Amino acid sequence: MGRSDVCLRGKDLLGLQNMEPAEIELILDTAREMKTIIDRDIKKVPTLRGKAIVNLFFEPSTRTRTSFELAGKYLGADVINITTSTSSVVKGESLRDTLLTVEAMGVDIIVMRHAAEGATQFAAGIVKPLLINAGDGAHEHPTQGLLDMFTMREEKGSLQGLKVAIIGDILHSRVARSNIWGLKKMGAEVHLAGPQTLLPRDIDTLGVQVHKRIEEALEGADVVNVLRIQRERQQKGLFPSAREYARIFGVNKSRLALAKPDALLMHPGPMNRGLEIAPDIAYSEQSVIAEQVKNGLAVRMAALYLMLMGGNQVETIN
Ligand code: CP
């Protein structure tokens, strides 16, 4: 598929596994244009005026939910947040009925986060509004993968040939999967390291290099992407203690020095400082963690715009 054949209008955004490289490229190029709106004094354009977006989050979120809300609002759409703890879900309303209720209000896009893998795909099969997967279990978090790739491309010029080290809790990480699928499509080399107990069983099918020691993964890396230890999904004691994890797999100053001198330090957030990442490097010179948050807004603006308005050339949005 070439750039001239790409059109995301009317398509769901469920994951990067089945996305074409040209589609990814279109979103990243459009995000660059969207980023200029965020830097304006008046961050509001009428592009999506009259469109309605619902954020339907069954799991907590700060970055994703807020940035989707701002993305819609900056583009002129109406945006409503449904937090399940204050919705009729607590009265026992099912996912299907919740979706049908939202659909009945005539919304155009539902942005959904759910603990179950495949939940957004299930939703897309039930209701007419377009669906964006804002994280489904340990499966995918496509807009995080896109914002991570956008950040790498902005900083390094291209994704082709980059050595990207992804460190930590791969097993529970939808961020890791979206990064792996996206980065490989765009020509990057992905290296993983984490405790054996936090690696998925299908790791050998993902086309990545897996290292037993974190040092091997970090050696000469262009990007170090540190994953959050998902304490909320660790009931089985998958590593001995926090102190032990930080000692063997924590990214600190001396380990970061194994990567290239100009390597980027990334983390999707929220961070467990002192566990997977040392506090003194979290916002150091090499860190682009704050830029990732800003880029997340630009990428989500691009996704909403392309899904609702289409087009395959990057236009100046006024
Ligand atoms: N990275 C990420 O998805 O953060 P939130 O859980 O705060 O949305």
Side-chain angles (χ1 to χ4, degrees):
M1 185 188 274
R3 180 59 172 266
S4 57
D5 308 313
V6 183
C7 182
L8 295 172
R9 187 175 186 160
K11 285 192 181 178
D12 300 309
L13 178 45
L14 302 179
L16 300 189
Q17 186 177 16
N18 297 316
M19 207 172 227
E20 296 288 338
E23 294 176 323
I24 293 175
E25 212 166 289
L26 175 63
I27 297 176
L28 302 190
D29 291 348
T30 307
R32 178 172 258 192
E33 178 67 27
M34 293 297 173
K35 204 169 167 182
T36 64
I37 297 175
I38 304 169
D39 289 329
R40 293 179 193 169
D41 274 350
I42 309 229
K43 310 172 210 311
K44 189 100 171 169
V45 292
T47 317
L48 298 185
R49 192 169 54 197
K51 301 292 184 188
I53 296 160
V54 165
N55 281 329
L56 178 58
F57 278 59
F58 291 81
E59 285 192 323
S61 168
T62 298
R63 289 151 204 77
T64 313
R65 203 191 63 180
T66 309
S67 58
F68 267 116
E69 181 174 356
L70 283 176
K73 287 180 171 171
Y74 286 178
L75 292 173
D78 291 306
V79 187
I80 298 293
N81 294 305
I82 299 179
T83 307
T84 48
S85 60
T86 54
S87 76
S88 288
V89 170
V90 294
K91 300 180 209 160
E93 189 162 43
S94 68
L95 173 57
R96 179 186 287 272
D97 286 347
T98 303
L99 289 163
L100 292 172
T101 303
V102 173
E103 179 183 39
M105 296 183 200
V107 309
D108 298 286
I109 290 192
I110 299 173
V111 181
M112 190 171 120
R113 172 172 287 188
H114 199 284
E117 292 168 27
T120 323
Q121 180 131 25
F122 169 78
I126 294 177
V127 289
K128 282 197 210 82
L130 298 174
L131 260 297
I132 297 181
N133 182 4
D136 61 330
H139 178 224
E140 280 235 36
H141 189 354
T143 55
Q144 181 72 44
L146 289 164
L147 80 86
D148 288 343
M149 286 193 285
F150 180 72
T151 304
M152 292 176 210
R153 204 183 70 163
E154 289 292 281
E155 300 288 333
K156 296 289 174 193
S158 167
L159 296 169
Q160 186 70 41
L162 283 187
K163 177 178 176 179
V164 180
I166 302 178
I167 309 295
D169 181 357
I170 317 285
L171 177 67
H172 299 101
S173 180
R174 49 200 179 207
V175 175
R177 283 186 185 264
S178 289
N179 263 267
I180 291 167
W181 280 314
L183 284 165
K184 282 180 47 55
K185 279 177 206 283
M186 304 309 282
E189 212 182 86
V190 182
H191 294 250
L192 306 180
Q196 199 70 31
T197 49
L198 292 179
L199 296 176
R201 278 204 204 123
D202 65 349
I203 195 83
D204 294 333
T205 66
L206 299 177
V208 294
Q209 296 192 45
V210 185
H211 302 275
K212 286 207 170 78
R213 294 178 60 246
I214 180 177
E215 287 79 6
E216 291 165 9
L218 293 173
E219 193 73 49
D222 296 288
V223 177
V224 178
N225 198 355
V226 186
L227 299 174
R228 180 172 73 89
I229 288 293
Q230 301 194 26
R231 296 175 198 255
E232 73 276 23
R233 299 189 217 270
Q234 312 248 5
Q235 279 95 31
K236 297 178 198 150
L238 294 172
F239 53 87
S241 68
R243 184 187 287 201
E244 191 74 352
Y245 182 89
R247 190 176 65 77
I248 302 173
F249 286 101
V251 176
N252 54 28
K253 208 171 184 174
S254 59
R255 288 196 169 127
L256 185 59
L258 296 169
K260 287 191 179 150
D262 61 349
L264 308 177
L265 175 65
M266 301 178 66
H267 191 301
M271 289 183 266
N272 297 300
R273 286 173 185 240
L275 181 54
E276 71 265 6
I277 189 165
D280 59 332
I281 60 166
Y283 284 103
S284 62
E285 220 165 79
Q286 279 175 265
S287 167
V288 287
I289 293 169
E291 200 60 21
Q292 282 175 270
V293 175
K294 181 174 181 179
N295 290 340
L297 181 47
V299 159
R300 286 162 183 139
M301 289 169 80
L304 295 173
Y305 171 73
L306 291 167
M307 289 168 69
L308 290 169
M309 306 309 285
N312 56 27
Q313 297 301 322
V314 180
E315 291 159 26
T316 302
I317 317 282
N318 292 305

